Amino acid sequence: MKKLFTSFVSLVLIFSMVGNVFAESNKVNYEYSSALVQVLQLDEIFVGAVGVDGEFLVLNQQKAIDNGISSDKIKEAKEKIKEYNKITKDVLEISPLLSFVGNQIQFDEIESEKKGVSKELINSTKSDIEKINKRSS
């Protein structure tokens, strides 16, 4: 459930904060770095070093080094960004296959298999949706 919630939060944050930026530019955007650092639960010293590239987050390692951030903290930030980007990738892959019927979420498992979505993600999504639908009944 936590992963599903995190996935939805990721999707909302990415598209609500910087959705228009993607269409305008292919370069990394650091405008929302402060908010991204908070979402990732990183130290404030990472502000300016974390940005958005397309739909995914990136760490400008040189900026982090220039800010005096230790290699251990940089490694930790990279892991958090990697995890965040994995969740974002999963959300982008699954969200077009979800729909609402009344107050229930429907998941097109057959289409997801045709699109090559991993079995792990399909099973996780099915399980999460069953839990959510039970609570909304």
Side-chain angles (χ1 to χ4, degrees):
M1 187 66 151
K2 181 180 177 185
K3 184 174 180 179
L4 182 63
F5 177 76
T6 305
S7 298
F8 284 120
V9 168
S10 298
L11 185 64
V12 169
L13 282 173
I14 287 175
F15 289 110
S16 66
M17 287 180 15
V18 292
N20 294 332
V21 174
F22 303 144
E24 296 172 11
S25 172
N26 287 332
K27 65 182 181 178
V28 177
N29 182 335
Y30 294 97
E31 183 178 350
Y32 299 100
S33 186
S34 182
L36 297 171
V37 165
Q38 289 177 3
V39 168
L40 292 168
Q41 298 177 342
L42 295 173
D43 292 336
E44 290 294 317
I45 55 177
F46 280 96
V47 172
V50 176
V52 179
D53 185 9
E55 288 89 4
F56 300 99
L57 302 184
V58 294
L59 173 67
N60 183 323
Q61 192 165 336
Q62 189 57 53
K63 281 185 182 180
I65 291 169
D66 292 346
N67 289 345
I69 302 172
S70 72
S71 59
D72 287 341
K73 286 192 180 266
I74 291 172
K75 183 178 178 182
E76 178 185 330
K78 284 178 156 181
E79 286 300 315
K80 287 183 177 184
I81 289 170
K82 181 179 176 182
E83 182 179 322
Y84 185 93
N85 286 340
K86 167 79 170 89
I87 291 167
T88 301
K89 179 185 174 290
D90 288 350
V91 167
L92 292 171
E93 197 170 18
I94 287 295
S95 60
L97 304 167
L98 300 174
S99 59
F100 284 94
V101 176
N103 65 347
Q104 299 285 300
I105 301 173
Q106 302 295 313
F107 173 56
D108 191 342
E109 182 180 354
I110 295 169
E111 187 63 25
S112 66
E113 288 175 354
K114 287 180 187 176
K115 291 187 175 215
V117 175
S118 73
K119 274 290 190 194
E120 178 186 357
L121 183 54
I122 290 171
N123 291 335
S124 173
T125 302
K126 282 176 30 180
S127 173
D128 289 343
I129 288 173
E130 286 173 10
K131 291 174 189 173
I132 291 169
N133 285 341
K134 282 182 185 177
R135 289 183 184 191
S136 66
S137 297

